[in-house]
Amino acid sequence: MGENILTIKDLVVSYGNIQALTGISIDIERGEIVTLIGSNGAGKSTTLRTVSGINKPTSGDISFEGKSILGMKTHQLARAGIAHAPEGRHIIPGLTVEQNLQVGLTARPAEFKDSIEEDFERMYTLFPVLRERRKQTGWSLSGGEQQMLSLARALISKPRLLLLDEPSLGLAPKVTAQVFEAIASVNKVDGVTILLVEQNAFMALNVANRGYLLENGAIRHSGTSKELLASPAVRDAYLGA
Ligand code: ATP
């Protein structure tokens, strides 16, 4: 067993009377890609939003690299090494691609100040279309390009843990495949641990080492991606098999 980078324990999160998470526990080891799959409203985004400090849990604990991060603000978590690429991308449309990436630098720990140029280069190698578009504004980008920019902006902050929400949303299959190739490379080459939320269970399980199936705010199944891909419950509900 490797070292846990993230431990979520008995997490309960509510929106008013609605209990979105009913006490879930998730462990992620350093170096893994772990996916959360499940239908609309299962609680996937809520899990990511709670890890990144946007939502406050009613009870339970979340620790990152062995220390509780409950109560920490989003910007503090970013500096501590957790980046969140939210659903809907949230790039700044009035800024160019390059300027959007510079926004990502604000969350970057000082120790990396000498490798900024190198890291921009890495992003442009990972997403060649962003190099071509680097002087264009966010407004002019296609959905796929915006998704790549959102991912690159999260990565330029040099996270050790990347929280990635629905990267395939609204993208054509070919673009989705490119984005997933980049996700695999970031994990393998740059060593970033990834917690990936996806409705496209097939794509997610193909890139992830392990997965958790959420239903109505609870974990129904967990296992290696291979086990989940073969599980009748997952196949029936999520893979259209
Ligand atoms: P999707 O795939 O549709 O994004 P999800 O699995 O990410 O779904 P969540 O967005 O985490 O699900 O939602 C979990 C539950 O919490 C749902 O019942 C949802 O309606 C509710 N919920 C989410 N955000 C809010 C909010 N801001 N206010 C009230 N209820 C919310």
Side-chain angles (χ1 to χ4, degrees), residues 105 125 151 193 215:
L105 291 178
T125 304
L151 199 49
T193 306
E215 269 174 25

Side-chain angles (χ1 to χ4, degrees), residues 8-24 41-62 70 214 216-218:
I8 297 176
K9 191 141 180 34
D10 301 328
L11 194 69
V12 177
V13 180
S14 303
Y15 298 101
N17 293 331
I18 303 169
Q19 209 173 63
L21 296 176
T22 62
I24 65 164
K44 306 182 300 295
S45 299
T46 299
T47 306
L48 292 198
R49 291 165 56 84
T50 310
V51 174
S52 72
I54 302 166
N55 291 354
K56 304 277 166 272
T58 314
S59 60
D61 196 16
I62 305 174
L70 282 192
L214 271 181
N216 298 324

Side-chain angles (χ1 to χ4, degrees), residues 178-197:
Q178 283 171 7
V179 168
F180 273 77
E181 252 174 56
I183 293 169
S185 173
V186 160
N187 174 253
K188 211 172 168 172
V189 177
D190 306 288
V192 180
T193 306
I194 300 174
L195 176 55
L196 167 68
V197 158

Side-chain angles (χ1 to χ4, degrees), residues 92 94-104 120 124 134 137:
I92 303 171
L95 297 185
T96 64
V97 164
E98 206 165 69
Q99 289 165 337
N100 267 283
L101 288 178
Q102 280 158 359
V103 170
F120 267 75
Y124 290 143
R134 66 186 183 282
T137 59

